[in-house]
Amino acid sequence: MRPLRLDMAGFTVFRDETTVDFTDADYFALVGPTGSGKSTVLDGICFALYGTVPRWGGARGIVNALSPSATEARVRLVFESAGDRYVATRVVRRDGRGNVKTAGAGLQLMPSGFDVTRLDTGMSLDDLGEVLAGTPAEMDKAVIDAVGLPYEQFTSCVVLPQGQFADFLHAKPATRQQILVNLLGLHVYEEVQQRAAGRATTAEAKLGAIDQMLEGLVDADDEAVAAAEAELIRMRELATAVEAAVPGLRETRQREATAAQTRDALRAEVEILTGVRTPSGSAELVAAVAQAREAAAVAADEVRGAEEREEKIRGELTAAGDPGSLKLLLDRHAELDRLGGQAEWFAGEVEVAEVEYKDAAAAAELAQHAHTGATQLLEQARADYTEAQKLDRAVALRAHLRAGDHCPVCEQTVADVPAMPEGSAVQAAEATGKAARAAAEVAEAAWKQRDAVARKLESNLERKRAQLEHHMTRLAEVRALLADKPGVDAVEQQLAELNRLQKHLREAGVRVKASREAQRKAQRAVVVAEEQQRSAWRSFDATRDAVARFGPPPADRDDLAAAWSALVAWASTERTNRTTSLGSAEDAVSSARDATRSAFDAVAALFTSAGVSSPPGDDSVLIRAAAVAAERAAATWQRLVDRRTQAQDLTSQRAGLALQVRVAKSLAGHLRANNFERWLLEEALDLLVDGASGILRELTGGQYDLVHEKGEFWVVDHFDADLRRGVRTLSGGETFQASLALALALSEQLAGMSATAASLESIVLDEGFGTLDAATLDVVAATLENLAARGDRMVGVVTHVHSLAERVPVRFEVHKDARTAYVERVGL
């Protein structure tokens, strides 16, 4: 894996959009002050690929991906692996509740020759190439397929972060072995062994299935095919013979059917003629119709007589007068008597009302005069009161005057002041006024009361006068109405005559209703009798129509009994003639049936001779049965031919499968128990340790060699009598040197170890170069320069050691201000 471009926005310290362009950076250094964000660039590479970072402590540390106060972080990595170019993208967002989740993840295979600088144009992800993964779950497998390493091995062999640089050196043998399996692609041999074993199992299963199928095909041999072919020829000959014989059989059947039809027709005619019989009661129907018609005529005469009598009484009733008018005359006579008696009473009431009104009017007039006098006295008292007020005001002014003073009213000198009167004039006037006002109020109340009584009596008088006038007017009207009318006795006699006539009219109506009901019953009896007669004729017509084709004699439509007698006699003669012909027809049918049976037996013999049961049924069934027998024989023969061919093919397939089983089992046996893989790992580890030992010897000035035994790493200290001790006893600087030697050996020798190895096209070291002395640092720098000079992989270091950074041709200087970190490329 070789990174080409890294884009970050909102990612940890890189709050603003930042791009790191690794194009043509075969050997580079990430430099900058401590805490500026150098290691964060490597974190961005790991996060884009695997969704996590070593120092975050797993996937739950994803909250660390967001810059402070940022709600979204975007990381995009463009890289090459095994000659293909990919782009990995991850987006992290914080929701409204503060939860941080991966909002998007994807891996795409970019087109060949794609210009990475086109990403600066704001291209959509859909334009970047073929989508290999679109969700975080899909990303896990897609990235491993593209890079060739899972996350743990990627951080041990490609990007070596702080604190994990010595992981491969200190790893357990099993872990280190798995890393080498992935790096060298040795899992392919395990897959080959598994596939070989699977193929052997599959081939054996197929062999078992073929053997079972062959057991079911043992009857499909050449002898069975020949026997089926002979049976087919025999059945075809049967079909041909049956087809030739069936036309004769059909002719005999047709002759038999014709004879049977003639016989059946004679039987049917005899049966029809036998059914011609005179029905009972035919003669009585005519007499019943005549009696019913005579009774209906009598009932009609009675109806006419009753209606004439009713009409005569109705005329007499009309001439006798209107009962309503007569009753109205009686009411008017009664009203006249009542009005005459009430006239004197109404006149007396008017006279009494007139006297009462006159008395009340006189009393009201006297009360009015008294009220007028009291009112005048009240006005005089009011005038006296006004004058008394003036006198009292003058007296009040006089009380303050002395002889010789000026008068306040006329402004003249007062020569003499009159004596002061005793008492107040106003008080005396007030007493007089109160008495006058009380008298006026009493007089007014008396006048109003008497006036109201007079008005009420006047209204009562007017009402009674109106009643008297209305009564007298009505009395005159009634007298004028009855002036030329009959008296009460005459009217009552006329009403009695009318009642008598009405009673006779009701009785006549009852008789008319009864006679009409009797007429209706008689008419219904005529209808019933005539319908019975028509039904009898219809029965006769139906019987005659049934034998009309035999030529019956004409019928007398006036005499039903005679018509039936003539028809029955004719039917008897015709039945006798047809009975004689029926015997000859029976003989003809019997002869035709014998001929048909002989023809059918001849066809059945064909089936018997061919070894096939003769089917029951008509002629078409015989032909069909012969054809079906031929078709079944053909199907049996074809099935045996096909089964014989199938058996031959399966035998050939079995030979091939048996060979596959032998080859697959042999290959699986050679690769079983990982013997081959274990040998390859031992050889690869020997080569790796030899290469790392040479690099370590150069880095330590010849002090240390690296060896391994049973999967564990040891160092041989040549400065201490070649003492061998574990790598965990090395100091921090010595551990860095040993880890660097292993990392460089992996980078240098991996490609030569296996053609199917993981693509280690880059190595980035983020570990303590500051712990090395100047001489060792110079050796490390020269080693890295030689590794980068080969041009087959990218080499990167993360350091703040100035002397080392100065020797690197491409430097990415990382700076950080109060808002964000940013990266500046310096050098080539």
Side-chain angles (χ1 to χ4, degrees), residues 390-426:
K390 293 180 180 179
L391 291 175
D392 281 354
R393 284 196 293 272
V395 171
L397 292 174
R398 191 187 307 169
H400 300 287
L401 290 178
R402 299 289 184 273
D405 292 341
H406 291 283
C407 177
V409 178
C410 63
E411 296 183 355
Q412 294 182 2
T413 302
V414 178
D416 187 15
V417 178
M420 296 290 292
E422 294 182 2
S424 172
V426 171

Side-chain angles (χ1 to χ4, degrees), residues 326-337:
L326 295 176
K327 290 180 179 179
L328 183 60
L329 284 176
L330 287 177
D331 293 340
R332 292 293 178 266
H333 281 293
E335 183 180 4
L336 179 60
D337 294 340

